[in-house]
Amino acid sequence: MSSSPEQAQEEAGASAPLPLLAAPADGIPRVVVEESELVAAATSLCAGCGPVAVDAERASGYRYGQRAYLVQVRRSGAGTTLIDPIACPDLSPVNEALRDAEWVVHASTQDLPCLAEVGLRPTRLFDTELGARLAGLPRVGLAAVVEHYLGLSLAKEHSAVDWSTRPLPEPWLRYAALDVEVLVEVRDAIEADLADQGKLDWALEEFDALTSFLGPPVRVDPWRRTSGMHKVRTRRSCALVRELWLARDGIARTRDISPGRILPDPLLMQIAVAAPRTAAALKAVSTNRSLRRYQGQWLQAVDLALGLPEAELPPHVIPAEGPPPMRSWADRDPVAAARLIAVRATMAAFAAQHKLPVENVLSPDVLRRVIWQPPPPDDAAVAAALSGLGARPWQVRFATPMILSALASATSTD
């Protein structure tokens, strides 16, 4: 790996802090809020050249869902554009202008779904977070990556603010513009690093796959992820959590507020345990203002859960899809457990040799599925199984012989 600016500084014995990237080189651009401004911005971006840096700011923890409340775009020859996607909800003119450009996005799986909602979908992508991970950096947040490659300090003090605020304060806009200010420079440095390490082709395959990323899979029974759910012991209690969760979600959706701000998970679980049937009983649980404000909804949810026939209660546990928990492998299938131990050791050695996280060699879920119910022990069958589960070609190429070796080793000890 090439020497980083902070490594060179350390080797030279310097103790001075890194220079702070404090302001955009061209100043803070005016936020696009009119359709005519959007068309002008798209024309300017189309006339620019080279990759385009793209970022989005959400209001996680404040608003319902993960919609974008600000979109930042920067391209050589066009400068930085800040767009309000609430005022301009259809950004297809910008998407058309950037149709053939490579997008540079940091941690793209966080932003691609909300960008797609406003009509922005890349056909080519370079993810600087994933690229840094593959290059072996121990810290891959944007600030850490900028420090490593450019020797600059990037302030992140506004990362968790409520971006649905209008008008957006100038310090926040400065922060947002800086997020794309040097992203293309970082991209170029990461590309060079990956090329030096012989990993660029691996990264390009990963980036290509990301262009079709639509978001995480829809969860079955999302209410089961309520914090404290592990304390629930009966199907009736599951029903109470479910109905309270659904009531909270409905209120949050209607008011466009994060569900946790309507009713925190710990308090929801307290209501589920107490199962209050009256206003007085609900008040005894807590004096939280949300309990009073939405008293009718909470009591209705409790009544609904307690009134369900046994046959309509949700199961206490949903049967797991795929392999069982790893802790049970040794008892349920010692041979499969031996296979997994063998291949994980080989992959860990490969990851250490190539300075990348072992989970990037092959997804742990894909590995467990192939090892638990292995295909026939030949190259084509194992490669097909891995590809069918979403492994990239470079992962298939390296993981196939590791898995075949583990299959042969476990078989020889039967």
Side-chain angles (χ1 to χ4, degrees), residues 201-226:
D201 288 343
W202 308 355
L204 294 178
E205 289 180 9
E206 296 290 340
F207 301 157
D208 183 64
L210 286 171
T211 59
S212 58
F213 180 78
L214 299 176
V218 177
R219 294 187 178 276
V220 177
D221 291 353
W223 54 270
R224 292 185 183 273
R225 291 180 58 81
T226 305

PDB file of all heavy atoms in Angstrom, residues 201-226:
ATOM      1  N   ASP A 201      -9.591  -4.726 -10.088  1.00  0.00           N
ATOM      2  CA  ASP A 201     -10.634  -5.490 -10.775  1.00  0.00           C
ATOM      3  C   ASP A 201     -11.674  -6.012  -9.785  1.00  0.00           C
ATOM      4  O   ASP A 201     -12.866  -6.064 -10.102  1.00  0.00           O
ATOM      5  CB  ASP A 201     -10.020  -6.651 -11.554  1.00  0.00           C
ATOM      6  CG  ASP A 201      -9.267  -6.188 -12.797  1.00  0.00           C
ATOM      7  OD1 ASP A 201      -9.495  -5.044 -13.223  1.00  0.00           O
ATOM      8  OD2 ASP A 201      -8.465  -6.970 -13.329  1.00  0.00           O
ATOM      9  N   TRP A 202     -11.224  -6.402  -8.593  1.00  0.00           N
ATOM     10  CA  TRP A 202     -12.167  -6.860  -7.580  1.00  0.00           C
ATOM     11  C   TRP A 202     -13.131  -5.724  -7.232  1.00  0.00           C
ATOM     12  O   TRP A 202     -14.343  -5.920  -7.163  1.00  0.00           O
ATOM     13  CB  TRP A 202     -11.451  -7.285  -6.300  1.00  0.00           C
ATOM     14  CG  TRP A 202     -10.334  -8.261  -6.462  1.00  0.00           C
ATOM     15  CD1 TRP A 202      -9.930  -8.888  -7.614  1.00  0.00           C
ATOM     16  CD2 TRP A 202      -9.456  -8.726  -5.434  1.00  0.00           C
ATOM     17  NE1 TRP A 202      -8.862  -9.709  -7.361  1.00  0.00           N
ATOM     18  CE2 TRP A 202      -8.547  -9.637  -6.040  1.00  0.00           C
ATOM     19  CE3 TRP A 202      -9.345  -8.473  -4.076  1.00  0.00           C
ATOM     20  CZ2 TRP A 202      -7.550 -10.281  -5.310  1.00  0.00           C
ATOM     21  CZ3 TRP A 202      -8.360  -9.111  -3.341  1.00  0.00           C
ATOM     22  CH2 TRP A 202      -7.468 -10.004  -3.956  1.00  0.00           C
ATOM     23  N   ALA A 203     -12.560  -4.538  -7.010  1.00  0.00           N
ATOM     24  CA  ALA A 203     -13.383  -3.397  -6.628  1.00  0.00           C
ATOM     25  C   ALA A 203     -14.370  -3.022  -7.728  1.00  0.00           C
ATOM     26  O   ALA A 203     -15.542  -2.716  -7.448  1.00  0.00           O
ATOM     27  CB  ALA A 203     -12.487  -2.204  -6.291  1.00  0.00           C
ATOM     28  N   LEU A 204     -13.912  -3.055  -8.969  1.00  0.00           N
ATOM     29  CA  LEU A 204     -14.800  -2.679 -10.069  1.00  0.00           C
ATOM     30  C   LEU A 204     -15.994  -3.621 -10.167  1.00  0.00           C
ATOM     31  O   LEU A 204     -17.107  -3.194 -10.492  1.00  0.00           O
ATOM     32  CB  LEU A 204     -14.017  -2.653 -11.384  1.00  0.00           C
ATOM     33  CG  LEU A 204     -12.930  -1.567 -11.483  1.00  0.00           C
ATOM     34  CD1 LEU A 204     -12.188  -1.678 -12.815  1.00  0.00           C
ATOM     35  CD2 LEU A 204     -13.522  -0.168 -11.316  1.00  0.00           C
ATOM     36  N   GLU A 205     -15.781  -4.912  -9.890  1.00  0.00           N
ATOM     37  CA  GLU A 205     -16.897  -5.851  -9.880  1.00  0.00           C
ATOM     38  C   GLU A 205     -17.877  -5.512  -8.756  1.00  0.00           C
ATOM     39  O   GLU A 205     -19.106  -5.588  -8.942  1.00  0.00           O
ATOM     40  CB  GLU A 205     -16.386  -7.283  -9.712  1.00  0.00           C
ATOM     41  CG  GLU A 205     -15.661  -7.832 -10.936  1.00  0.00           C
ATOM     42  CD  GLU A 205     -15.175  -9.253 -10.728  1.00  0.00           C
ATOM     43  OE1 GLU A 205     -15.553  -9.877  -9.702  1.00  0.00           O
ATOM     44  OE2 GLU A 205     -14.417  -9.758 -11.581  1.00  0.00           O
ATOM     45  N   GLU A 206     -17.342  -5.136  -7.601  1.00  0.00           N
ATOM     46  CA  GLU A 206     -18.211  -4.756  -6.481  1.00  0.00           C
ATOM     47  C   GLU A 206     -19.004  -3.497  -6.821  1.00  0.00           C
ATOM     48  O   GLU A 206     -20.204  -3.406  -6.555  1.00  0.00           O
ATOM     49  CB  GLU A 206     -17.367  -4.520  -5.231  1.00  0.00           C
ATOM     50  CG  GLU A 206     -16.644  -5.742  -4.698  1.00  0.00           C
ATOM     51  CD  GLU A 206     -17.580  -6.766  -4.098  1.00  0.00           C
ATOM     52  OE1 GLU A 206     -18.717  -6.412  -3.738  1.00  0.00           O
ATOM     53  OE2 GLU A 206     -17.178  -7.939  -3.987  1.00  0.00           O
ATOM     54  N   PHE A 207     -18.338  -2.519  -7.410  1.00  0.00           N
ATOM     55  CA  PHE A 207     -19.021  -1.266  -7.746  1.00  0.00           C
ATOM     56  C   PHE A 207     -20.106  -1.492  -8.791  1.00  0.00           C
ATOM     57  O   PHE A 207     -21.187  -0.900  -8.724  1.00  0.00           O
ATOM     58  CB  PHE A 207     -18.009  -0.241  -8.272  1.00  0.00           C
ATOM     59  CG  PHE A 207     -16.899   0.094  -7.309  1.00  0.00           C
ATOM     60  CD1 PHE A 207     -15.699   0.607  -7.779  1.00  0.00           C
ATOM     61  CD2 PHE A 207     -17.050  -0.099  -5.942  1.00  0.00           C
ATOM     62  CE1 PHE A 207     -14.679   0.928  -6.898  1.00  0.00           C
ATOM     63  CE2 PHE A 207     -16.028   0.211  -5.058  1.00  0.00           C
ATOM     64  CZ  PHE A 207     -14.839   0.725  -5.542  1.00  0.00           C
ATOM     65  N   ASP A 208     -19.817  -2.352  -9.762  1.00  0.00           N
ATOM     66  CA  ASP A 208     -20.806  -2.634 -10.800  1.00  0.00           C
ATOM     67  C   ASP A 208     -22.062  -3.247 -10.201  1.00  0.00           C
ATOM     68  O   ASP A 208     -23.188  -2.905 -10.584  1.00  0.00           O
ATOM     69  CB  ASP A 208     -20.206  -3.561 -11.858  1.00  0.00           C
ATOM     70  CG  ASP A 208     -21.178  -3.836 -13.000  1.00  0.00           C
ATOM     71  OD1 ASP A 208     -21.539  -2.878 -13.709  1.00  0.00           O
ATOM     72  OD2 ASP A 208     -21.576  -5.003 -13.167  1.00  0.00           O
ATOM     73  N   ALA A 209     -21.876  -4.145  -9.232  1.00  0.00           N
ATOM     74  CA  ALA A 209     -23.036  -4.778  -8.583  1.00  0.00           C
ATOM     75  C   ALA A 209     -23.872  -3.752  -7.821  1.00  0.00           C
ATOM     76  O   ALA A 209     -25.098  -3.873  -7.737  1.00  0.00           O
ATOM     77  CB  ALA A 209     -22.567  -5.886  -7.646  1.00  0.00           C
ATOM     78  N   LEU A 210     -23.231  -2.740  -7.284  1.00  0.00           N
ATOM     79  CA  LEU A 210     -23.950  -1.737  -6.501  1.00  0.00           C
ATOM     80  C   LEU A 210     -24.893  -0.883  -7.342  1.00  0.00           C
ATOM     81  O   LEU A 210     -25.826  -0.282  -6.804  1.00  0.00           O
ATOM     82  CB  LEU A 210     -22.948  -0.832  -5.769  1.00  0.00           C
ATOM     83  CG  LEU A 210     -22.241  -1.436  -4.563  1.00  0.00           C
ATOM     84  CD1 LEU A 210     -21.134  -0.510  -4.073  1.00  0.00           C
ATOM     85  CD2 LEU A 210     -23.239  -1.712  -3.440  1.00  0.00           C
ATOM     86  N   THR A 211     -24.674  -0.793  -8.639  1.00  0.00           N
ATOM     87  CA  THR A 211     -25.545   0.040  -9.471  1.00  0.00           C
ATOM     88  C   THR A 211     -26.977  -0.489  -9.499  1.00  0.00           C
ATOM     89  O   THR A 211     -27.903   0.253  -9.839  1.00  0.00           O
ATOM     90  CB  THR A 211     -25.017   0.141 -10.911  1.00  0.00           C
ATOM     91  OG1 THR A 211     -24.934  -1.162 -11.485  1.00  0.00           O
ATOM     92  CG2 THR A 211     -23.644   0.800 -10.936  1.00  0.00           C
ATOM     93  N   SER A 212     -27.170  -1.745  -9.138  1.00  0.00           N
ATOM     94  CA  SER A 212     -28.528  -2.310  -9.105  1.00  0.00           C
ATOM     95  C   SER A 212     -29.054  -2.451  -7.682  1.00  0.00           C
ATOM     96  O   SER A 212     -30.097  -3.068  -7.461  1.00  0.00           O
ATOM     97  CB  SER A 212     -28.561  -3.671  -9.810  1.00  0.00           C
ATOM     98  OG  SER A 212     -27.659  -4.580  -9.202  1.00  0.00           O
ATOM     99  N   PHE A 213     -28.347  -1.865  -6.713  1.00  0.00           N
ATOM    100  CA  PHE A 213     -28.784  -1.957  -5.314  1.00  0.00           C
ATOM    101  C   PHE A 213     -30.034  -1.115  -5.110  1.00  0.00           C
ATOM    102  O   PHE A 213     -30.054   0.085  -5.401  1.00  0.00           O
ATOM    103  CB  PHE A 213     -27.673  -1.483  -4.381  1.00  0.00           C
ATOM    104  CG  PHE A 213     -28.029  -1.538  -2.918  1.00  0.00           C
ATOM    105  CD1 PHE A 213     -28.010  -2.730  -2.240  1.00  0.00           C
ATOM    106  CD2 PHE A 213     -28.402  -0.381  -2.242  1.00  0.00           C
ATOM    107  CE1 PHE A 213     -28.334  -2.787  -0.888  1.00  0.00           C
ATOM    108  CE2 PHE A 213     -28.725  -0.416  -0.895  1.00  0.00           C
ATOM    109  CZ  PHE A 213     -28.692  -1.624  -0.219  1.00  0.00           C
ATOM    110  N   LEU A 214     -31.085  -1.730  -4.583  1.00  0.00           N
ATOM    111  CA  LEU A 214     -32.358  -1.043  -4.381  1.00  0.00           C
ATOM    112  C   LEU A 214     -32.675  -0.813  -2.910  1.00  0.00           C
ATOM    113  O   LEU A 214     -33.692  -0.210  -2.568  1.00  0.00           O
ATOM    114  CB  LEU A 214     -33.498  -1.840  -5.019  1.00  0.00           C
ATOM    115  CG  LEU A 214     -33.388  -2.058  -6.535  1.00  0.00           C
ATOM    116  CD1 LEU A 214     -34.529  -2.953  -7.018  1.00  0.00           C
ATOM    117  CD2 LEU A 214     -33.387  -0.729  -7.277  1.00  0.00           C
ATOM    118  N   GLY A 215     -31.832  -1.310  -2.035  1.00  0.00           N
ATOM    119  CA  GLY A 215     -32.078  -1.178  -0.609  1.00  0.00           C
ATOM    120  C   GLY A 215     -32.077  -2.527   0.057  1.00  0.00           C
ATOM    121  O   GLY A 215     -32.078  -3.573  -0.608  1.00  0.00           O
ATOM    122  N   PRO A 216     -32.072  -2.557   1.380  1.00  0.00           N
ATOM    123  CA  PRO A 216     -32.081  -3.831   2.095  1.00  0.00           C
ATOM    124  C   PRO A 216     -33.376  -4.583   1.839  1.00  0.00           C
ATOM    125  O   PRO A 216     -34.407  -3.973   1.524  1.00  0.00           O
ATOM    126  CB  PRO A 216     -31.959  -3.412   3.565  1.00  0.00           C
ATOM    127  CG  PRO A 216     -32.453  -2.001   3.608  1.00  0.00           C
ATOM    128  CD  PRO A 216     -32.078  -1.398   2.280  1.00  0.00           C
ATOM    129  N   PRO A 217     -33.354  -5.910   1.948  1.00  0.00           N
ATOM    130  CA  PRO A 217     -34.579  -6.676   1.720  1.00  0.00           C
ATOM    131  C   PRO A 217     -35.659  -6.317   2.731  1.00  0.00           C
ATOM    132  O   PRO A 217     -35.352  -5.954   3.877  1.00  0.00           O
ATOM    133  CB  PRO A 217     -34.117  -8.135   1.889  1.00  0.00           C
ATOM    134  CG  PRO A 217     -32.856  -8.054   2.697  1.00  0.00           C
ATOM    135  CD  PRO A 217     -32.205  -6.765   2.305  1.00  0.00           C
ATOM    136  N   VAL A 218     -36.892  -6.381   2.290  1.00  0.00           N
ATOM    137  CA  VAL A 218     -38.018  -6.093   3.182  1.00  0.00           C
ATOM    138  C   VAL A 218     -38.097  -7.187   4.248  1.00  0.00           C
ATOM    139  O   VAL A 218     -38.091  -8.377   3.941  1.00  0.00           O
ATOM    140  CB  VAL A 218     -39.337  -6.027   2.390  1.00  0.00           C
ATOM    141  CG1 VAL A 218     -40.508  -5.789   3.337  1.00  0.00           C
ATOM    142  CG2 VAL A 218     -39.264  -4.930   1.340  1.00  0.00           C
ATOM    143  N   ARG A 219     -38.115  -6.782   5.486  1.00  0.00           N
ATOM    144  CA  ARG A 219     -38.125  -7.746   6.588  1.00  0.00           C
ATOM    145  C   ARG A 219     -39.531  -8.279   6.838  1.00  0.00           C
ATOM    146  O   ARG A 219     -40.519  -7.546   6.783  1.00  0.00           O
ATOM    147  CB  ARG A 219     -37.604  -7.096   7.868  1.00  0.00           C
ATOM    148  CG  ARG A 219     -36.132  -6.717   7.788  1.00  0.00           C
ATOM    149  CD  ARG A 219     -35.638  -6.241   9.135  1.00  0.00           C
ATOM    150  NE  ARG A 219     -34.228  -5.913   9.091  1.00  0.00           N
ATOM    151  CZ  ARG A 219     -33.250  -6.793   9.226  1.00  0.00           C
ATOM    152  NH1 ARG A 219     -33.548  -8.067   9.427  1.00  0.00           N
ATOM    153  NH2 ARG A 219     -31.990  -6.421   9.174  1.00  0.00           N
ATOM    154  N   VAL A 220     -39.598  -9.569   7.133  1.00  0.00           N
ATOM    155  CA  VAL A 220     -40.842 -10.169   7.586  1.00  0.00           C
ATOM    156  C   VAL A 220     -41.019  -9.800   9.059  1.00  0.00           C
ATOM    157  O   VAL A 220     -40.080  -9.917   9.853  1.00  0.00           O
ATOM    158  CB  VAL A 220     -40.804 -11.702   7.423  1.00  0.00           C
ATOM    159  CG1 VAL A 220     -42.074 -12.328   7.978  1.00  0.00           C
ATOM    160  CG2 VAL A 220     -40.615 -12.066   5.952  1.00  0.00           C
ATOM    161  N   ASP A 221     -42.194  -9.337   9.418  1.00  0.00           N
ATOM    162  CA  ASP A 221     -42.470  -8.957  10.807  1.00  0.00           C
ATOM    163  C   ASP A 221     -41.414  -7.999  11.361  1.00  0.00           C
ATOM    164  O   ASP A 221     -40.668  -8.332  12.301  1.00  0.00           O
ATOM    165  CB  ASP A 221     -42.549 -10.195  11.705  1.00  0.00           C
ATOM    166  CG  ASP A 221     -43.762 -11.061  11.437  1.00  0.00           C
ATOM    167  OD1 ASP A 221     -44.611 -10.638  10.641  1.00  0.00           O
ATOM    168  OD2 ASP A 221     -43.854 -12.155  12.010  1.00  0.00           O
ATOM    169  N   PRO A 222     -41.304  -6.790  10.810  1.00  0.00           N
ATOM    170  CA  PRO A 222     -40.280  -5.860  11.306  1.00  0.00           C
ATOM    171  C   PRO A 222     -40.428  -5.515  12.780  1.00  0.00           C
ATOM    172  O   PRO A 222     -39.461  -5.111  13.428  1.00  0.00           O
ATOM    173  CB  PRO A 222     -40.474  -4.623  10.419  1.00  0.00           C
ATOM    174  CG  PRO A 222     -41.868  -4.734   9.882  1.00  0.00           C
ATOM    175  CD  PRO A 222     -42.117  -6.201   9.740  1.00  0.00           C
ATOM    176  N   TRP A 223     -41.624  -5.713  13.347  1.00  0.00           N
ATOM    177  CA  TRP A 223     -41.827  -5.427  14.766  1.00  0.00           C
ATOM    178  C   TRP A 223     -40.988  -6.330  15.661  1.00  0.00           C
ATOM    179  O   TRP A 223     -40.732  -5.997  16.836  1.00  0.00           O
ATOM    180  CB  TRP A 223     -43.319  -5.571  15.128  1.00  0.00           C
ATOM    181  CG  TRP A 223     -43.939  -6.891  14.761  1.00  0.00           C
ATOM    182  CD1 TRP A 223     -44.547  -7.192  13.591  1.00  0.00           C
ATOM    183  CD2 TRP A 223     -43.985  -8.075  15.566  1.00  0.00           C
ATOM    184  NE1 TRP A 223     -44.984  -8.498  13.609  1.00  0.00           N
ATOM    185  CE2 TRP A 223     -44.655  -9.058  14.813  1.00  0.00           C
ATOM    186  CE3 TRP A 223     -43.548  -8.391  16.845  1.00  0.00           C
ATOM    187  CZ2 TRP A 223     -44.884 -10.339  15.295  1.00  0.00           C
ATOM    188  CZ3 TRP A 223     -43.770  -9.672  17.344  1.00  0.00           C
ATOM    189  CH2 TRP A 223     -44.432 -10.634  16.568  1.00  0.00           C
ATOM    190  N   ARG A 224     -40.533  -7.450  15.123  1.00  0.00           N
ATOM    191  CA  ARG A 224     -39.712  -8.366  15.927  1.00  0.00           C
ATOM    192  C   ARG A 224     -38.325  -7.788  16.216  1.00  0.00           C
ATOM    193  O   ARG A 224     -37.590  -8.350  17.041  1.00  0.00           O
ATOM    194  CB  ARG A 224     -39.574  -9.714  15.219  1.00  0.00           C
ATOM    195  CG  ARG A 224     -40.885 -10.502  15.150  1.00  0.00           C
ATOM    196  CD  ARG A 224     -40.681 -11.876  14.547  1.00  0.00           C
ATOM    197  NE  ARG A 224     -41.949 -12.590  14.425  1.00  0.00           N
ATOM    198  CZ  ARG A 224     -42.498 -13.333  15.398  1.00  0.00           C
ATOM    199  NH1 ARG A 224     -41.856 -13.480  16.556  1.00  0.00           N
ATOM    200  NH2 ARG A 224     -43.646 -13.944  15.209  1.00  0.00           N
ATOM    201  N   ARG A 225     -37.972  -6.697  15.559  1.00  0.00           N
ATOM    202  CA  ARG A 225     -36.679  -6.060  15.824  1.00  0.00           C
ATOM    203  C   ARG A 225     -36.769  -4.992  16.916  1.00  0.00           C
ATOM    204  O   ARG A 225     -35.790  -4.284  17.179  1.00  0.00           O
ATOM    205  CB  ARG A 225     -36.126  -5.441  14.540  1.00  0.00           C
ATOM    206  CG  ARG A 225     -35.714  -6.492  13.517  1.00  0.00           C
ATOM    207  CD  ARG A 225     -35.170  -5.856  12.245  1.00  0.00           C
ATOM    208  NE  ARG A 225     -34.036  -4.990  12.491  1.00  0.00           N
ATOM    209  CZ  ARG A 225     -32.787  -5.409  12.658  1.00  0.00           C
ATOM    210  NH1 ARG A 225     -32.516  -6.705  12.616  1.00  0.00           N
ATOM    211  NH2 ARG A 225     -31.804  -4.545  12.866  1.00  0.00           N
ATOM    212  N   THR A 226     -37.911  -4.888  17.576  1.00  0.00           N
ATOM    213  CA  THR A 226     -38.050  -3.947  18.680  1.00  0.00           C
ATOM    214  C   THR A 226     -37.032  -4.272  19.759  1.00  0.00           C
ATOM    215  O   THR A 226     -36.893  -5.432  20.162  1.00  0.00           O
ATOM    216  CB  THR A 226     -39.478  -4.009  19.267  1.00  0.00           C
ATOM    217  OG1 THR A 226     -40.434  -3.795  18.226  1.00  0.00           O
ATOM    218  CG2 THR A 226     -39.662  -2.956  20.345  1.00  0.00           C
TER     219      THR A 226
END
